[in-house]
Amino acid sequence: MHDDFGALTDRDHWLGWMGDEPTVAVRAAIASMLSSQNATAELMWLRLVGEPYFLTGGRRLPEDPDRVVATRAGLAVSFELCVASADAVGELRGVFSWVAAGLDEGLGGPARRDRTYLDLDEELARASELLEERVYELDEE
């Protein structure tokens, strides 16, 4: 099986906050979370499935009230993956979420803060509710 990011790349939504290559960033974030749980974990393949949930917030610029700058964003998308470690090979399903705040750091906003989540065996509807809470939890850090 091969990676499939169609659920993300087939959408017309701004993902610039995730860097120049959002699919690479998503894969790297998930691989990092898996290896933080088991040092020998290797992400074999990853499929993003279904309709992603996007969240974007912004503020008007005082000097140009017709312009809005993004201040925070979030993504929740269902996934299926295969992970191998020295001990076993397994498939996992759930929802990957990524929230970021401080996207306006260069325009006088606070420093950027990011957090990622793997909600195993969770449904997208619940994860999208959590996404709205999580994007504002970054303000409390």
Side-chain angles (χ1 to χ4, degrees), residues 67-87:
R67 205 168 136 220
V68 174
V69 63
T71 58
R72 65 186 72 241
L75 162 73
V77 62
S78 298
F79 70 84
E80 299 172 346
L81 64 81
C82 179
V83 61
S85 71
D87 304 326

Side-chain angles (χ1 to χ4, degrees), residues 20-54:
D20 292 337
E21 297 185 54
T23 58
V24 172
V26 167
R27 190 179 209 290
I30 292 173
S32 176
M33 286 188 283
L34 294 171
S35 67
S36 74
Q37 297 297 310
N38 180 328
T40 65
E42 181 182 350
L43 181 56
M44 304 304 291
W45 55 261
L46 169 64
R47 291 187 346 183
L48 302 182
V49 296
E51 187 80 22
Y53 180 81
F54 300 105

Side-chain angles (χ1 to χ4, degrees), residues 1 11 56 60 76 96 107 113:
M1 180 140 326
R11 307 293 178 253
T56 309
R60 293 197 186 283
F96 167 74
L107 297 171
R113 297 155 324 276

Side-chain angles (χ1 to χ4, degrees), residues 15 31 61 64 68 73-74 78 89 105-107 121 132 135 138:
L15 297 173
L61 293 174
D64 187 357
V68 174
S78 298
V89 174
E105 180 177 17
L107 297 171
D121 297 321
E132 294 183 20
V135 76
L138 293 173

Side-chain angles (χ1 to χ4, degrees), residues 83-132:
V83 61
S85 71
D87 304 326
V89 174
E91 292 187 12
L92 301 173
R93 289 174 176 72
V95 178
F96 167 74
S97 299
W98 184 343
V99 293
L103 300 179
D104 57 338
E105 180 177 17
L107 297 171
R112 180 164 171 160
R113 297 155 324 276
D114 290 71
R115 188 173 290 161
T116 55
Y117 303 85
L118 285 179
D119 295 306
L120 300 178
D121 297 321
E122 189 63 76
E123 297 294 323
L124 183 62
R126 175 65 183 137
S128 64
E129 292 171 8
L130 290 171
L131 189 72
E132 294 183 20

